[in-house]
Amino acid sequence: MDIRQATVSDLLGMQKTNLFNLPENYTFKYYLYHAMTWPELSYVACNPKGEVVGYILAKMDEENTEIPSGHVTSISVLRSYRRLGLAAKLMRQSQHAMNHLYKAHHITLHVRESNKPAISLYRDNLGFEQTGVEKGYYADGESAYQMTYKFNKD
Amino acid sequence: MASKADSAARAKAIKDRALPTKESGLFRQLLQHYEAKQHKQGIKAADQILKKFPNHGETLAIKALVIHSSLPHNHPTATSQPKGEEANRLIDTALRKDPYSHITHHVHSIILRADKDFAGAADALRKAREIDPENIPLIRDSISLYTQLKHYDEAQQARIKYHTLRPNMKANWVTVAIGYELCGEPQNALNVYDQLGKALKDTGYDSVEKAELCIHTIRLMVEVGRYPDALELLRKSVDDKTLPPICDVMTLEATIYEKLGQKEKAEEQYRKLIELNPDNLSYYGDLMFLKGIDFDSTISEDLLPKTLTIMDGFAESYPRASAPKRLILDIVNGDEFRSRVKAYMQKAFEKGVPSLFSDLKELCRAEEKQKIIQEAAEEFREHYEAKDESEPYSEALLWTYYFIASSISHRTCPQKDYARALELLDIAGKRHPTVPEVLFARGHVLKRAGDLEGAARALEQARLLDKSDRFLNGKAGKYWLRAGQIEKAGQVFGLFTKKDAPTPGADLKDMQCSWYLIEEGDAYRRAGNLPLAVKRYEQVIAIYQELEDDEYDFHTYSLRKLTLDAYQQMMKFDRELRSDRWFTRAAASACEVYALIHDDPSLREIRLSPEEEAERKKAAKKAQKAGSKAKKAAASAPTDPKKEKEEPSLPDSDPAGADYLKEVNPLDAMERLVQAMRRTPTLESWLVEFELAMRKKQFMRMRLAMSHAHDLAPDHPKVHEKCIALAIFCRSEAGVKALAEGQKEINEVALAEIEKFIPQDASALRTNSDYLQQHQDAGHIFAAARSLHLILSNQLGEGQSELSGDDKRQVEETLMQIVSPDVQPDLAVYKQALAFYVSPLKSSDEARSAFLSAVRKNLPLGFDFKELSEIASRREAWAKEDDSVATNGDSKK
Ligand SMILES: CC(C)(COP(=O)(O)OP(=O)(O)OC[C@H]1O[C@@H](n2cnc3c(N)ncnc32)[C@H](O)[C@@H]1OP(=O)(O)O)[C@@H](O)C(=O)NCCC(=O)NCCS
């Protein structure tokens, strides 16, 4: 699978993949907003036919701007392409740009309490830590773990 | 020149516009309230002025604006709808009372723009600017509007005007530069960026903005071929840390070195890029290209060893990257391919990688590789079967079965064997009953074997094994749609859609899920429900309009953020938007239905069976209930201002699409879609245009469309069919008349061109039979049969409405070739051909049965083609099976 920076032409593929994988969905304009604000932070994984099979949609935190921090809005991989290391690779590429272009100190994201694969990906594979719980974060009432990755910075 | 009466009216309007001190203070307040979004106070102030001066145009206009801007976007609700109408009335009055004020026109423009009528908004703004040409907000607004409408030259005039009026604003420089780019004048754009770059220090841009601007400038320099300048700027900016080491910068650097012929330096950059992201395919291709090795063509024997050494080196340095290993499989052949693909497959089987087949499927296009992969898979199977007892190999065997089942049922396999695929999956399923992939694959095989209902059932079972996975849910829903069970599909989708949406489908529509809308539209169409089919297709078309409208805000936003590369990407996206696969599918399908109802207006209404009628009534009642619920909620909402936001949108007044289809002018609707598709012409768009032109009897347009289609794909079944139709038309009475009406030269060109499709001395019949002889697959044969039918029908004498028995037999004989054993089965063509026997061919039952029994012989698993009784008894058996599973499950609890 090919891993590359997402362009505006990939956004529809990302939106489609998101709708297939997760109950948290966004309209196109929100994707476009990401692409037009932080074009370096989103990545896609494509199959040999060139179709998007995985993506990371990421941004910088817009509220607390004193300490720049990255945030993963959404990440997912189509079921038939999971366990190939795609999610981890997508995350690392995004991390690199967060670090070097945006000088992020850390990255945050939310994950469902029950989402074992994702938690294992973030914690065991990528070195995130659980830094909080947000009760009833999701529309169906499930709580979210907040997870944080710290860049090695003084 | 303005008439006397006009200038008198103008003078009066200007006089009437002046307000006494008190009211002009109120007017200022009104504007402040609008800016601060204090809608209530705004309206109060306006009303106070209007009490004394009911005809004051500008007050009326701003009041309209205040009301309009308080409304929810895009979703009219029970309370907002009348308010929207009031705002429209107010602005109309305002324009009548004071057409000489730039404010009334400007407000009109803002309201139209908020309603996404960009062309109307631009017109209104043009009027405002005629009155006040130097007004900065007017100029600013017009830049975005013209850009949105792709009137780049007009936009550029406005940008330059703006710049002249405010020469010191750096933001305007960027605006002018981007404008040049959009007008195709990159040199002029660069001049501006160069100046801006020199002034970077005192621009107040932050580090990210500086980097974005710098990257874009360099990219533009590369585009126009100013490589040394590009390199200089890049090196300088890397050194002073304006540019960080991110992939955009490194790829630019590599490209520049390459263009300058500095191959080593370019290579160094690509190696750095690969180190950063060893899974990017293009880096490898670009690096090898430097060395004279082109991955896109066959690599010669003498270059192969070198290629392999380099790629193997990468594979070794980045063991976790799959790209170098996978790329090698594209370029090697024979024994080298065999040993490498085997290693690749073994690793995947033993790790348990379900995507292995999708990964290798492209390779199977080459017959030799297909065979090797097939053989290798069988060897692994034997190997693991021999070891089956121990755990790790049992997993490997599972994925080997899964792989073989996928590959022997796939399109690329010359000898498809659905039965064996199912057998392997059965064994795998018995040993691994909790792995959804096995059932998932089973569903795929059944679908290809012509059993959509069985496929849907398999996917449903897969879904039940992991209910928390939306992917399995979505695929199961899609298969239920394919099997025609629209309601069941809705229930399944509903498990993951928003609970407060009126229906699961409404949520998916709001989330712009095009594939779902098209699948459901297709399902309705197969069920004969054309109104709902068209409704779904048109919803997709509306989504693409939304996507285009979404771009509007970014014409200013990106320039502020200086994300100029991204902005250019967006403009490219826009140019290609209407050739997107899902748009094309929706538009072409909708046009097919419009053509149908144009040809046979009785199809505008659904013909329902009694059960369907009962179903429809039930659905209508449900929709009505939802509607009155929304209205009730609306009635109780406005008291609480916080709740106002959550007011439900008004229910769709035509949920079944029946009113629309009854009233629509099909040719106008087709024209609208053809115009949209034409923005990026494709084979599909030309074919649709031909169908439209034929119905509008626009001969020249038919010819042109076919000429383009013929250039793109001369052998395509639809192209053949339509060329025949065109030839028949030209030689028909109507055609001869149309030709005679055109100018002589045009006729000659036209005739010469048509000869490209059908030589003059050959009759349509000859051309068609030649075509049949040259093509041996189902789609082409069917096209020949349909064309034959067309030709013969055209030869019918007056008063004859049906083909003679002999003629019919000719067509039927051609149709029978579709099912001959040496032609690959094609489910879609089978289904269309079966329908064709009934209409328009009106064959005897016997003739159709002969075709059907051949289909059944070709597709022994094809339940889609079985007798209804057989299908029903299978459903019964399933119901029993499900019952017993349910009771077993209960007793276990
Ligand atoms: C979570 C998800 C994105 C992971 O994608 P992926 O490409 O399969 O993940 P990777 O292959 O990169 O996995 C990397 C590591 O994460 C962990 N991991 C991933 N999936 C796992 C699973 N199902 N169980 C346990 N660990 C898992 C493993 O440590 C894995 O490394 P390994 O394969 O070497 O053991 C994917 O499962 C998915 O799209 N799920 C649905 C959407 C979703 O939940 N997104 C996250 C929302 S916060």
Side-chain angles (χ1 to χ4, degrees):
Chain A
M1 304 309 131
D2 188 21
I3 301 225
R4 54 178 178 76
Q5 194 173 303
T7 71
V8 174
S9 302
D10 294 314
L11 299 179
L12 281 174
M14 292 164 71
Q15 187 186 28
K16 183 170 173 231
T17 306
N18 166 270
L19 273 160
F20 252 122
N21 281 327
L22 286 162
E24 289 76 39
N25 313 124
Y26 318 96
T27 51
F28 183 76
K29 195 163 183 184
Y30 195 53
Y31 288 85
L32 193 54
Y33 175 63
H34 277 75
M36 304 307 270
T37 317
W38 310 278
E40 302 81 5
L41 297 188
S42 293
Y43 274 77
V44 287
C46 299
N47 66 11
K49 260 174 135 178
E51 298 160 336
V52 174
V53 300
Y55 67 89
I56 180 168
L57 181 72
K59 58 185 271 187
M60 296 302 293
D61 190 340
E62 292 161 282
E63 276 155 32
N64 308 311
T65 44
E66 280 134 69
I67 305 172
S69 73
H71 182 78
V72 178
T73 305
S74 186
I75 178 168
S76 73
V77 173
L78 289 181
R79 184 178 175 106
S80 8
Y81 295 88
R82 288 182 199 158
R83 293 314 284 267
L84 287 175
L86 296 181
K89 288 168 180 172
L90 290 164
M91 179 75 90
R92 290 210 186 86
Q93 292 307 312
S94 181
Q95 275 176 334
H96 179 85
M98 285 180 187
N99 186 10
H100 287 90
L101 178 61
Y102 292 94
K103 317 278 184 249
H105 280 69
H106 59 270
I107 307 171
T108 59
L109 56 80
H110 293 104
V111 56
R112 283 178 183 267
E113 270 179 333
S114 67
N115 193 345
K116 293 216 182 74
I119 294 171
S120 155
L121 163 73
Y122 304 136
R123 197 185 46 210
D124 307 337
N125 196 289
L126 293 165
F128 278 74
E129 278 167 37
Q130 187 189 324
T131 44
V133 182
E134 287 186 43
K135 285 261 169 289
Y137 179 83
Y138 293 99
D140 58 3
E142 188 171 337
S143 300
Y145 289 149
Q146 187 183 64
M147 305 201 66
T148 306
Y149 176 88
K150 286 200 180 67
F151 287 105
N152 249 336
K153 282 201 173 130
D154 305 320
Chain B
M1 222 199 284
S3 70
K4 226 180 208 170
D6 193 43
S7 31
R10 178 190 302 266
K12 182 173 179 311
I14 291 171
K15 201 169 129 248
D16 287 350
R17 200 179 297 149
L19 290 170
T21 328
K22 181 178 164 221
E23 277 73 22
S24 72
L26 279 168
F27 189 77
R28 268 195 306 279
Q29 274 178 29
L30 168 58
L31 290 175
Q32 282 160 8
H33 290 314
Y34 165 68
E35 298 280 338
K37 297 199 166 70
Q38 295 162 330
H39 305 302
K40 282 217 173 98
Q41 291 96 314
I43 292 174
K44 218 171 120 195
D47 285 342
Q48 266 175 290
I49 306 173
L50 291 173
K51 217 153 99 196
K52 269 203 178 149
F53 302 95
N55 292 331
H56 192 253
E58 294 185 345
T59 304
L60 287 165
I62 306 285
K63 184 178 174 190
L65 184 59
V66 170
I67 294 174
H68 195 271
S69 66
S70 73
L71 303 177
H73 279 309
N74 302 337
H75 292 289
T77 65
T79 38
S80 83
Q81 200 177 33
K83 283 190 193 164
E85 286 161 8
E86 187 191 351
N88 287 335
R89 267 196 312 275
L90 282 166
I91 188 65
D92 282 350
T93 320
L95 286 167
R96 250 195 344 267
K97 300 290 178 198
D98 193 353
Y100 305 103
S101 152
H102 70 85
I103 292 184
T104 54
H105 291 292
H106 192 190
V107 167
H108 190 207
S109 168
I110 296 174
I111 288 178
L112 289 171
R113 190 181 72 202
D115 292 341
K116 313 283 182 206
D117 177 1
F118 297 110
D123 278 344
L125 207 57
R126 212 169 274 133
K127 289 183 191 137
R129 285 187 62 205
E130 273 163 22
I131 298 165
D132 191 359
E134 313 254 293
N135 182 315
I136 292 281
L138 295 183
I139 299 175
R140 238 186 0 226
D141 281 4
S142 66
I143 294 173
S144 295
L145 279 172
Y146 290 145
T147 309
Q148 179 73 15
L149 294 167
K150 287 128 199 133
H151 299 171
Y152 298 132
D153 291 336
E154 250 175 317
Q156 187 62 357
Q157 282 164 22
R159 290 175 204 265
I160 289 172
K161 174 109 191 170
Y162 190 7
H163 183 51
T164 333
L165 292 171
R166 293 272 191 285
N168 294 324
M169 272 174 70
K170 293 277 155 26
N172 291 349
W173 295 26
V174 178
T175 307
V176 171
I178 274 288
Y180 281 130
E181 287 186 52
L182 293 175
C183 292
E185 299 169 34
Q187 285 292 4
N188 284 337
L190 266 177
N191 292 341
V192 183
Y193 289 130
D194 281 348
Q195 290 178 47
L196 192 59
K198 288 194 189 100
L200 261 189
K201 266 171 236 108
D202 40 68
T203 47
Y205 291 146
D206 69 24
S207 67
V208 175
E209 289 164 347
K210 280 183 193 161
E212 300 280 6
L213 181 63
C214 187
I215 291 173
H216 185 67
T217 310
I218 296 170
R219 194 181 304 288
L220 209 55
M221 286 173 167
V222 172
E223 248 172 62
V224 301
R226 278 172 51 186
Y227 307 122
D229 293 344
L231 185 62
E232 192 193 316
L233 179 57
L234 189 143
R235 287 307 326 159
K236 184 182 113 301
S237 311
V238 168
D239 288 344
D240 69 15
K241 302 230 164 12
T242 306
L243 292 181
I246 55 172
C247 65
D248 282 326
V249 176
M250 289 148 78
T251 5
L252 271 173
E253 189 164 354
T255 313
I256 298 169
Y257 281 129
E258 193 174 344
K259 297 281 181 195
L260 288 170
Q262 304 189 28
K263 291 195 180 168
E264 280 93 69
K265 291 233 166 108
E267 176 170 347
E268 191 188 327
Q269 286 306 315
Y270 284 124
R271 285 188 182 272
K272 277 193 203 158
L273 279 163
I274 291 172
E275 189 183 340
L276 177 61
N277 178 7
D279 284 283
N280 184 299
L281 297 179
S282 63
Y283 298 160
Y284 296 99
D286 291 343
L287 183 137
M288 297 310 267
F289 197 73
L290 289 174
K291 301 179 174 294
I293 296 162
D294 184 359
F295 274 178
D296 290 333
S297 55
T298 333
I299 291 162
S300 65
E301 281 300 316
D302 50 321
L303 283 175
L304 202 58
K306 182 172 151 196
T307 314
L308 290 182
T309 317
I310 300 173
M311 293 306 289
D312 283 339
F314 285 124
E316 206 170 301
S317 310
Y318 308 108
R320 287 214 284 185
S322 66
K325 293 181 211 101
R326 176 63 183 76
L327 276 170
I328 293 174
L329 298 181
D330 283 340
I331 57 182
V332 293
N333 291 301
D335 287 341
E336 187 71 45
F337 177 75
R338 186 185 300 271
S339 69
R340 284 176 183 265
V341 83
K342 278 180 79 172
Y344 195 86
M345 290 166 76
Q346 178 169 16
K347 215 175 129 213
F349 288 145
E350 286 170 20
K351 191 178 171 227
V353 174
S355 62
L356 180 64
F357 183 65
S358 349
D359 191 9
L360 298 184
K361 166 162 97 179
E362 293 293 305
L363 296 170
C364 292
R365 287 173 188 279
E367 211 175 302
E368 187 210 34
K369 291 190 176 176
Q370 196 273 339
K371 225 172 120 220
I372 293 176
I373 291 174
Q374 203 73 51
E375 286 165 8
E378 298 293 350
E379 280 170 34
F380 280 116
R381 178 183 54 76
E382 283 165 21
H383 175 73
Y384 295 134
E385 273 173 347
K387 296 197 178 183
D388 191 23
E389 296 309 310
S390 56
E391 252 309 296
Y393 289 110
S394 139
E395 286 265 319
L397 183 59
L398 159 68
W399 296 113
T400 313
Y401 282 165
Y402 178 86
F403 182 90
I404 297 177
S406 310
S407 63
I408 59 178
S409 59
H410 190 256
R411 223 178 320 113
T412 47
C413 179
Q415 243 69 57
K416 290 178 206 52
D417 192 344
Y418 303 120
R420 174 153 182 258
L422 292 180
E423 224 171 87
L424 291 177
L425 290 171
D426 273 347
I427 307 175
K430 288 217 177 75
R431 292 190 199 154
H432 302 272
T434 57
V435 177
E437 271 69 19
V438 176
L439 289 158
F440 196 78
R442 190 182 153 75
H444 268 282
V445 176
L446 286 171
K447 180 186 81 172
R448 291 182 193 137
D451 181 5
L452 288 172
E453 210 168 88
R457 183 176 165 83
L459 260 74
E460 177 71 8
Q461 290 165 337
R463 175 182 83 74
L464 292 172
L465 287 178
D466 187 354
K467 288 190 197 160
S468 68
D469 190 285
R470 190 174 189 180
F471 181 84
L472 292 172
N473 177 277
K475 291 285 177 187
K478 175 171 152 184
Y479 272 52
W480 283 123
L481 285 177
R482 290 273 170 97
Q485 307 222 16
I486 300 174
E487 199 172 331
K488 172 82 192 168
Q491 288 163 6
V492 169
F493 287 127
L495 297 169
F496 278 88
T497 51
K498 286 194 200 71
K499 295 292 163 279
D500 53 0
T503 60
D507 180 42
L508 289 168
K509 184 198 109 225
D510 286 345
M511 289 300 126
Q512 304 168 321
C513 190
S514 299
W515 74 260
Y516 152 78
L517 292 167
I518 290 178
E519 288 287 348
E520 193 174 277
D522 288 349
Y524 277 125
R525 190 167 153 199
R526 286 189 296 267
N529 187 340
L530 297 185
L532 263 172
V534 168
K535 182 157 181 113
R536 293 291 173 267
Y537 300 144
E538 288 286 0
Q539 280 170 336
V540 176
I541 289 151
I543 287 175
Y544 278 77
Q545 188 58 50
E546 264 170 52
L547 304 186
E548 186 183 341
D549 294 347
D550 282 345
E551 292 162 13
Y552 180 82
D553 290 344
F554 294 99
H555 298 309
T556 40
Y557 178 86
S558 319
L559 305 198
R560 218 168 48 237
K561 285 271 167 192
L562 292 178
T563 46
L564 305 176
D565 271 5
Y567 181 70
Q568 287 294 9
Q569 281 175 16
M570 182 182 89
M571 300 311 270
K572 173 166 174 280
F573 166 80
D574 177 85
R575 289 190 291 275
E576 295 164 355
L577 187 55
R578 296 317 200 288
S579 62
D580 189 71
R581 183 167 139 220
W582 302 100
F583 177 82
T584 308
R585 242 182 91 174
S589 303
C591 284
E592 276 171 30
V593 179
Y594 290 132
L596 278 177
I597 64 166
H598 171 267
D599 299 347
D600 178 1
S602 76
L603 291 174
R604 283 173 189 255
E605 294 191 39
I606 332 169
R607 293 170 210 150
L608 291 176
S609 67
E611 303 99 69
E612 286 167 334
E613 181 58 29
E615 202 54 54
R616 191 194 61 80
K617 277 197 184 137
K618 224 168 68 188
K621 229 188 221 158
K622 222 165 114 187
Q624 200 186 8
K625 247 197 213 151
S628 56
K629 222 166 83 187
K631 284 214 177 105
K632 245 186 239 157
S636 62
T639 41
D640 184 351
K642 267 194 212 128
K643 275 229 172 114
E644 208 163 11
K645 260 199 194 139
E646 290 157 29
E647 190 190 355
S649 14
L650 276 182
D652 187 342
S653 59
D654 184 20
D659 297 345
Y660 172 75
L661 207 66
K662 236 179 260 169
E663 271 141 40
V664 71
N665 176 331
L667 295 189
D668 288 352
M670 276 176 96
E671 187 70 69
R672 164 173 53 84
L673 296 177
V674 166
Q675 292 306 332
M677 290 172 92
R678 252 187 155 212
R679 284 168 52 178
T680 10
T682 56
L683 176 63
E684 200 62 55
S685 76
W686 294 122
L687 294 173
V688 173
E689 179 145 9
F690 174 82
E691 289 294 321
L692 171 62
M694 191 166 78
R695 285 173 179 79
K696 285 192 162 177
K697 307 216 164 25
Q698 294 168 325
F699 171 69
M700 290 312 257
R701 198 175 173 191
M702 284 164 75
R703 204 202 88 227
L704 201 70
M706 274 341 283
S707 163
H708 283 290
H710 195 267
D711 286 347
L712 288 172
D715 278 348
H716 192 280
K718 280 189 181 163
V719 174
H720 169 71
E721 224 181 299
K722 287 175 212 249
C723 285
I724 295 277
L726 177 60
I728 290 179
F729 179 83
C730 296
R731 287 154 198 176
S732 72
E733 224 170 289
V736 171
K737 213 172 129 221
L739 276 166
E741 278 163 11
Q743 289 166 355
K744 189 158 180 297
E745 311 91 273
I746 302 181
N747 291 345
E748 270 156 22
V749 179
L751 284 175
E753 195 139 52
I754 287 161
E755 278 179 30
K756 190 164 79 188
F757 312 139
I758 299 178
Q760 207 167 26
D761 53 356
S763 71
L765 267 179
R766 259 275 301 289
T767 313
N768 194 45
S769 67
D770 287 351
Y771 181 82
L772 182 59
Q773 245 157 40
Q774 282 155 18
H775 297 91
Q776 278 306 313
D777 78 81
H780 290 93
I781 301 172
F782 187 42
R786 290 163 61 110
S787 303
L788 179 60
H789 175 255
L790 188 69
I791 298 168
L792 296 174
S793 307
N794 234 61
Q795 294 170 350
L796 287 180
E798 212 150 300
Q800 287 174 287
S801 63
E802 221 179 287
L803 293 190
S804 72
D806 278 349
D807 284 353
K808 265 188 207 174
R809 217 155 301 127
Q810 268 197 64
V811 180
E812 287 158 4
E813 272 164 22
T814 313
L815 286 169
M816 281 306 285
Q817 291 187 35
I818 296 173
V819 285
S820 86
D822 47 341
V823 173
Q824 285 278 344
D826 184 322
L827 300 172
V829 172
Y830 284 179
K831 285 176 190 170
Q832 288 167 24
L834 282 165
F836 191 77
Y837 272 101
V838 182
S839 160
L841 191 56
K842 302 204 182 75
S843 281
S844 63
D845 284 349
E846 240 167 53
R848 187 173 177 274
S849 300
F851 186 89
L852 187 55
S853 45
V855 168
R856 286 177 183 156
K857 219 168 110 219
N858 290 348
L859 295 171
L861 295 166
F863 257 86
D864 298 357
F865 301 94
K866 295 239 150 112
E867 299 289 352
L868 286 177
S869 61
E870 247 177 295
I871 295 174
S873 65
R874 183 171 74 161
R875 281 189 194 150
E876 257 167 54
W878 279 346
K880 267 194 210 131
E881 209 178 296
D882 292 345
D883 273 352
S884 80
V885 171
T887 35
N888 279 345
D890 283 349
S891 60
K892 268 187 209 144
K893 267 181 209 159

